[in-house]
Amino acid sequence: MRKIRYLLMRRFTQIGILILYFGANAYGWTILQGNLSASLLFETVPLADPFALLQMLFAGAVLATDVIVGALIMALFYAVIGGRAFCSWVCPINMVTDLANWLRRKLGISDVQKRVYMSRNVRYWVMVMALLLSAAMGLAAFELISPIAMAHRGIAFGMGFGVGALVIIFLFDLFVHENAWCGYVCPLGGFYSILGKFSLFRVKHDAEACTLCMKCKEVCPEKEVLFMIGKNSGSVLMGACTNCARCIEVCDDDALDFSIRSQLEKTIEQTKEKA
Amino acid sequence: MKKELPNDRRKFILSMARGVGLSAMGALIWSAYVDEVKAAPLILRPPGALDEPDFLKTCIKCGLCVEACPYDTLILAQPGDNNPIGTPFFVPRDVPCYMCDDIPCVPVCPTGALVQDSVTSEIEGELTWDITKMDMGLAVVDAESCIAFWGIQCDACYRACPLMDVAISLQYDKNERTGKHAFLKPVVHADACTGCGLCERACVTKKAAIYVLPNEVALGEVGDHYIKGWDKADEARLKDAKGETTVTDRSNRSAVDSLNDAEDLY
């Protein structure tokens, strides 16, 4: 259990949120209505996807206050607390790509496959392109092709051919490139990487306890963020870290754990230094 | 070192060109797809919806209106429906809009894609929901397949209409074929029809002979050339009327000169 405690928690939030959305449409539950694009919590608190809102603003939409407040709430939550946690704790596509990458490891596909070079920065380019195309076409461009939206909307309101999009992502991750969608292409992941760069909830590494087994790097979907492993202690500060805690689970030496304080301390130190 | 310099520059330029090229490729595929899927001229939107281009801009595809609808009239477009993915619409022949008095689908919209003002009226100084102001589309009768136009008595659509005698009325005409019967022809009045589709749902023919189309499809536009001179309100359009003059070779000369010139005749 200890080895999968965070995995269970992540699946619990991911699936729990989807069940609430499904129940809202199918049985009229009023805990969490709508979907991940925009929802209503307990029939009072509006919540909204800040990246969808940004695209709509680029498209030139005049928006009501509800959705703006909702997007601000979510943006604040991820900016201050969660970081890029949306990707591994909420996004339904995470389950598809985790399955593909688990299968990839089991089958050893990465060992036989010739590495295709792809830049991690592709997602930022796609993000910028989504905003520019939204402005040019006069509607939220990524929302019309987003497999994430197709998945959570599909589960609450009917999937249609949306299953095809999930299969594409699955095959893409399984056969084209490791973590191809979430780690390289997805503009929403890029958006949250930037938004959550300075969040307080961080993985912290203790280099003293590390035995350099490198299991964490093997399992990490964003390996670059763990560059300090075994070299120096400190928080994982790169925005690309999704706080998925796979590195924490896999570590046999307690060299990795979540920490809010270390980040806080560091900021306090920095402000002191400046003063 | 001297040899490496142009190589680096070449690498840099090539990688830049590659980035630009790939971005252009992606943008073209993406925009072509978006342009294709946003075109759905026959889609019927929920009550109070903005004009289609603005609606597509403003709708965040959350489905709160769908959940608010007590009759399951509204559905979100799924991939494969050939409608803009995730946006709400309804198919009146399956489930029409039952025109709730309190219009629950409109106030839940978080973005303002469904506009409250467009479906409220001020009655005795108080803002009140007014579903009769709704304008989702226009019912159109196909006189060929409507059996009332054959002379068979059927007033299903007329009786199904929530605005009976206002949005659909019956026109009595003499049936010359039999000489002793009357046609009871349904006539839709565009200014009152809300596009709810209850008539389309009620129609008895195999495929509905009365059906709702979006206003942009169902309605023509007169333009500035014709104005009802007997109608004060319509005459006001004259103020903003724009003339249109075509210029051809003949316009170079005055009309009188052109008419008096008989040269061409000989």
Side-chain angles (χ1 to χ4, degrees), chain B residues 142-188:
Chain B
D142 170 18
E144 291 300 318
S145 48
C146 173
I147 56 169
F149 280 74
W150 294 3
I152 298 174
Q153 199 203 336
C154 169
D155 49 11
C157 56
Y158 167 74
R159 295 196 178 276
C161 181
L163 299 171
M164 202 196 297
D165 280 324
V166 182
I168 301 183
S169 57
L170 290 183
Q171 180 185 321
Y172 306 123
D173 283 343
K174 188 181 174 190
N175 186 342
E176 300 286 358
R177 183 179 60 83
T178 65
K180 50 191 169 189
H181 298 98
F183 289 115
L184 276 70
K185 298 176 182 170
V187 178
V188 181

Side-chain angles (χ1 to χ4, degrees), chain B residues 67-68 85 101 105 111 114 128 142 160 172 180 198 219 238 254:
Chain B
E67 285 175 15
I85 294 172
D101 287 335
C105 51
T111 62
L114 306 180
T128 321
D142 170 18
Y172 306 123
K180 50 191 169 189
L198 278 159
L219 291 170
L238 267 175
S254 79

Side-chain angles (χ1 to χ4, degrees), chain A residues 57-180:
Chain A
L57 289 177
F58 267 77
V62 182
L63 296 168
T65 41
D66 267 15
V67 76
I68 296 171
V69 170
L72 281 178
I73 292 175
M74 288 327 293
L76 262 177
F77 172 75
Y78 288 118
V80 178
I81 303 169
R84 201 189 152 190
F86 172 86
C87 296
S88 56
W89 291 77
V90 179
C91 183
I93 292 293
N94 176 255
M95 290 186 272
V96 177
T97 55
D98 269 2
L99 179 66
N101 288 306
W102 175 80
L103 209 59
R104 210 185 154 87
R105 278 197 296 274
K106 288 283 163 207
L107 298 176
I109 289 178
S110 290
D111 303 335
V112 296
Q113 192 172 41
K114 200 179 161 200
R115 282 290 156 109
V116 188
Y117 174 72
M118 214 172 4
S119 165
R120 290 271 186 196
N121 291 334
V122 167
R123 54 185 166 212
Y124 303 114
W125 287 102
V126 178
M127 189 191 85
V128 170
M129 207 189 285
L131 297 177
L132 292 180
L133 279 181
S134 297
M137 317 269 313
L139 77 176
F142 181 62
E143 296 310 299
L144 273 182
I145 60 163
S146 164
I148 307 155
M150 284 181 204
H152 61 70
R153 202 192 300 123
I155 283 162
F157 298 97
M159 198 63 119
F161 285 176
V163 181
L166 303 188
V167 174
I168 291 172
I169 299 272
F170 178 77
L171 295 176
F172 189 45
D173 269 30
L174 184 59
F175 293 123
V176 178
H177 199 293
E178 205 174 41
N179 296 306

